[in-house]
């Protein structure tokens, strides 16, 4: 698929991400510096700093903070609008390209009877209009939008999360794996490249994203079996995979769904198989300012389940779901170089757990 | 003596003003970029403007483009970084 944009539209997108960069690299560090000075000058205890309402009362008054939040919200909305406008001229060709049955390796199995959960259909995640399913061009729009959202930090191929996951999985042998909530699918490519002999499977709720993932995989010579399913109730046999993982899926679902997903992951893993959840760390593992700044997305960036996930005790959840050998691995992002959106030193957290050999 | 100027827009949400500034600067930036492109083309090859809309790869971000953009953002929004 040809996803190149005209110079005119690319310029519009460049400007929008330029303002995001101004917020991320210039304004946010100053907001943090003022916060740090205030916290030190007043010897504010950590418990107070972790009180969001209290911190909001302080940081929220800073005009720099207000400017950064206004700009963040506006540019996020503009970003999606600009991407969609940029692709509009190609819409007909792109849609028919996505619908065209192309023979090749791998497969795509859609389930038009699948009931999509309300938390999924009713949320415009990251403020993407139509959410992650309504627009047939959801996939291309998502991929281009995310590149600008991330300020191109994760490289042209967007491979960073996949590489981080591999670092946590640490070279263990894999013969058949499953990615839950695979979306447009490209973040799986490093895993495919690391395990070229393995059978690769991806599931997602969104038919639009899966169509794009399938088409993209064919274009890139990748062999993946994509199926439309709800990760909370997998239409897959038990004991089938030696690796099941998801990347930034669980912060998009309510806690009750996370619990069902963990149980399903355990069921479809073979005994001794590994489950991995890659996401950003829990608030409690971040400094109070970074946690405060991150939490903004819950109410302002189409992330209603963000706070719930980042406050969850994932170790306990994994144990309750039946996993053993539960542990966290922190992978520091090379691309971020400690310059994340809020200048926090965050990296990825990978939660790992094993299916007990005695369980089935 | 000129008539005093009341704050006609006192109750206009500032966020809406910011939205207009961002939208306007996008328009201006896109035009400025287009002008640069025209100048490049004219300088290099006469008046062949067709390549002005040569497709770009959104996944790639070249340094020259980034510098021009960051300079522009700084000129327009730089004052915001010193608020308060
Ligand atoms: C933030 S996106 C991440 C996509 C992909 N992992 C990536 O990093 O590019 C979350 C994905 O999870 C999918 N999703 C959300 N809830 C799901 C569920 N219950 N079952 C399967 N997929 C789900 C969404 O459609 C979306 O593709």
């Amino acid at each position: 698929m040809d996803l190149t944009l005209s110079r005119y539209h690319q310029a519009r997108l460049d400007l929008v991400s330029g303002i995001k960069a101004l917020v991320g690299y210039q304004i946010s560090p100053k907001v943090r510096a003022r916060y740090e000075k205030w916290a030190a000058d007043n010897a504010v205890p950590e418990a107070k700093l972790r009180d969001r309402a209290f911190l909001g009362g302080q940081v929220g008054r800073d005009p720099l903070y207000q400017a950064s939040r206004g700009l963040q919200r506006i540019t996020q909305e503009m970003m999606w609008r600009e991407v969609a406008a940029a692709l509009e001229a190609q819409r007909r060709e792109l849609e028919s390209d996505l619908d065209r049955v192309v023979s090749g390796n791998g497969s795509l199995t859609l389930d038009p009877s699948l009931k999509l959960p309300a938390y999924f259909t009713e949320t415009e995640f990251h403020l993407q209009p139509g959410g992650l399913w309504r627009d047939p061009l959801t996939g291309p729009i998502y991929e281009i939008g995310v590149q600008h959202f991330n300020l191109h930090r994760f490289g042209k191929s967007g491979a960073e999360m996949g590489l981080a996951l591999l670092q946590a999985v640490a070279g263990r042998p894999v013969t058949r794996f499953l990615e839950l909530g695979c979306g447009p699918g490209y973040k799986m490519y490093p895993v495919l490249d690391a395990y070229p002999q393995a059978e690769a499977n991806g599931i997602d709720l969104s038919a639009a994203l899966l169509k794009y993932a399938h088409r993209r995989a064919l274009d890139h010579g990748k062999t993946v079996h994509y199926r439309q399913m709800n990760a909370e109730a997998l239409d897959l046999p038990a004991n089938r995979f030696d690796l099941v993982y998801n990347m930034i899926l669980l912060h998009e679902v309510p806690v009750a769904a996370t619990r069902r997903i963990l149980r399903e992951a355990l069921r479809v893993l073979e005994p001794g198989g590994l489950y991995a959840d890659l996401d950003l760390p829990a608030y409690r593992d971040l400094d109070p300012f970074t946690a405060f700044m991150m939490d903004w997305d819950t109410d302002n960036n189409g992330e209603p389940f963000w706070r719930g996930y980042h406050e969850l005790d994932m170790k306990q959840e994994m144990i309750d779901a039946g996993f053993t050998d539960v542990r966290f691995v922190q992978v520091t992002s090379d691309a971020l170089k400690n310059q994340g959106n809020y200048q926090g030193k965050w990296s990825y957290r990978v939660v790992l757990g094993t299916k007990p050999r005695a369980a089935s | 003596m000129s008539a005093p100027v009341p704050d006609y827009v006192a109750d206009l949400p500032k966020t809406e003003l910011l939205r207009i500034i961002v939208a306007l600067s996008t328009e201006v930036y896109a035009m400025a970029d287009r002008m640069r492109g025209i100048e490049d083309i004219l300088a290099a090859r006469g008046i062949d403007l067709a390549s002005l809309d040569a497709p770009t790869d959104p996944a790639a971000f070249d340094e020259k483009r980034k510098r021009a953009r960051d300079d522009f953002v700084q000129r327009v929004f730089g004052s915001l970084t010193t608020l308060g």
Side-chain angles (χ1 to χ4, degrees):
Chain A
M1 280 189 111
D2 178 13
L3 288 188
T4 51
L5 306 180
S6 75
R7 178 174 177 151
Y8 173 73
H9 285 293
Q10 186 61 57
R12 299 176 70 95
L13 268 172
D14 285 350
L15 191 273
V16 171
S17 53
I19 299 172
K20 285 182 175 292
L22 181 89
V23 170
Y25 299 137
Q26 291 194 48
I27 301 183
S28 294
K30 288 187 179 170
V31 177
R32 175 186 282 275
R34 286 182 190 174
Y35 150 87
E36 282 173 351
K37 181 170 182 327
W38 161 79
D41 288 353
N42 296 285
V44 187
E46 164 134 5
K48 284 300 263 180
L49 296 177
R50 292 211 173 263
D51 175 343
R52 271 194 296 271
F54 172 75
L55 205 52
Q58 178 62 31
V59 178
R61 284 205 305 268
D62 183 343
L64 264 187
Y65 172 82
Q66 293 178 8
S68 75
R69 290 319 199 184
L71 288 172
Q72 259 177 310
R73 174 68 191 239
I74 292 165
T75 53
Q76 187 73 1
E77 290 174 7
M78 276 190 79
M79 179 190 81
W80 295 119
R81 258 203 319 275
E82 294 295 341
V83 179
L87 293 179
E88 206 49 44
Q90 294 135 267
R91 176 173 283 277
R92 195 166 313 162
E93 295 92 275
L94 291 174
E95 284 188 19
S96 65
D97 219 7
L98 285 168
D99 279 333
R100 200 151 45 88
V101 180
V102 188
S103 59
N105 296 327
S107 61
L108 171 67
T109 312
L110 299 179
D111 176 5
S113 69
L114 182 69
K115 191 164 164 18
L116 302 176
Y119 65 76
F120 178 72
T121 55
E122 285 168 22
T123 307
E124 294 197 322
F125 291 101
H126 327 113
L127 307 183
Q128 183 168 350
L132 295 174
W133 64 288
R134 239 182 249 277
D135 188 332
L137 297 189
T138 299
I141 292 172
Y142 178 89
E143 179 167 350
I144 297 174
V146 166
Q147 282 155 4
H148 292 83
F149 187 10
N150 290 331
L151 305 175
H152 295 271
R153 285 178 303 216
F154 301 152
K156 189 164 150 45
S157 61
E160 190 183 90
M161 281 187 204
L163 294 171
L165 183 97
L166 284 172
Q167 216 173 307
V169 168
R172 95 183 245 126
V174 174
T175 56
R176 186 181 290 141
F177 71 84
L178 171 66
E179 179 172 333
L180 305 172
C182 63
Y186 54 87
K187 293 199 191 149
M188 185 196 280
Y189 296 179
V191 184
L192 289 168
D193 295 344
Y195 298 107
Q197 305 302 327
E199 180 195 293
N201 299 273
I203 67 105
D204 201 282
L205 284 172
S206 169
L209 284 176
L210 288 170
K211 277 188 190 179
Y212 178 63
H214 178 56
R215 193 49 225 268
R216 202 183 184 289
L218 291 174
D219 287 351
H220 285 78
K222 307 288 184 195
T223 303
V224 185
H225 301 284
Y226 293 106
R227 270 170 280 193
Q228 188 181 13
M229 273 181 214
N230 187 340
E232 296 173 66
L234 294 169
D235 184 15
L236 293 166
N239 307 319
R240 183 153 174 82
F241 303 97
D242 42 16
L243 172 67
V244 175
Y245 68 88
N246 39 260
M247 298 192 267
I248 59 170
L249 162 68
L250 298 184
H251 75 239
E252 307 291 31
V253 305
V255 169
T258 289
R259 293 187 173 133
R260 286 191 285 274
I261 290 171
L262 293 179
R263 280 169 178 74
E264 279 295 83
L266 185 82
R267 183 180 68 78
V268 301
L269 271 174
E270 61 182 34
L274 183 72
Y275 170 74
D277 159 45
L278 177 142
D279 215 300
L280 299 183
Y283 291 163
R284 73 170 75 88
D285 297 325
L286 296 165
D287 67 87
F289 180 77
T290 304
F292 169 78
M293 294 294 271
M294 250 175 77
D295 187 65
W296 183 85
D297 283 41
T298 309
D299 299 317
N300 299 279
N301 200 36
E303 293 284 13
F305 312 112
W306 180 257
R307 180 180 300 145
Y309 174 75
H310 291 291
E311 289 188 336
L312 203 58
D313 181 348
M314 271 298 283
K315 266 193 185 146
Q316 195 55 50
E317 294 295 335
M318 293 279 289
I319 291 164
D320 292 349
F323 288 99
T324 56
D325 193 21
V326 174
R327 59 203 188 279
F328 289 168
V329 176
Q330 302 279 354
V331 184
T332 302
S333 160
D334 286 340
L336 295 175
K337 294 191 179 65
N338 292 338
Q339 292 202 337
N341 276 342
Y342 310 122
Q343 305 294 305
K345 295 188 188 247
W346 47 255
S347 49
Y348 302 111
R349 178 188 75 178
V350 186
V351 185
L352 296 170
T354 304
K355 178 164 176 171
R357 292 207 178 264
S360 66
Chain B
M1 200 173 122
S2 60
V5 181
D7 190 358
Y8 292 108
V9 295
D11 293 324
L12 201 65
K14 294 188 194 74
T15 302
E16 293 312 313
L17 293 176
L18 207 51
R19 190 187 302 282
I20 292 166
I21 293 168
V22 171
L24 181 65
S25 59
T26 310
E27 297 297 336
V28 173
Y29 182 74
M31 277 172 59
D33 180 77
R34 211 167 169 80
M35 290 288 290
R36 265 200 308 278
I38 292 170
E39 284 165 13
D40 287 352
I41 293 163
L42 289 176
R45 301 185 249 154
I47 53 167
D48 175 14
L49 298 184
S51 56
L52 189 55
D53 267 325
T56 59
D57 177 359
F61 202 94
D62 74 73
E63 277 307 310
K64 189 172 157 223
R65 217 167 92 210
K66 184 169 178 299
R67 256 198 316 278
R69 179 201 70 181
D70 289 345
D71 286 351
F72 180 89
V73 169
Q74 202 62 43
R75 281 199 302 278
V76 179
F77 291 96
S79 62
L80 278 184
T81 66
T82 57
L83 284 177

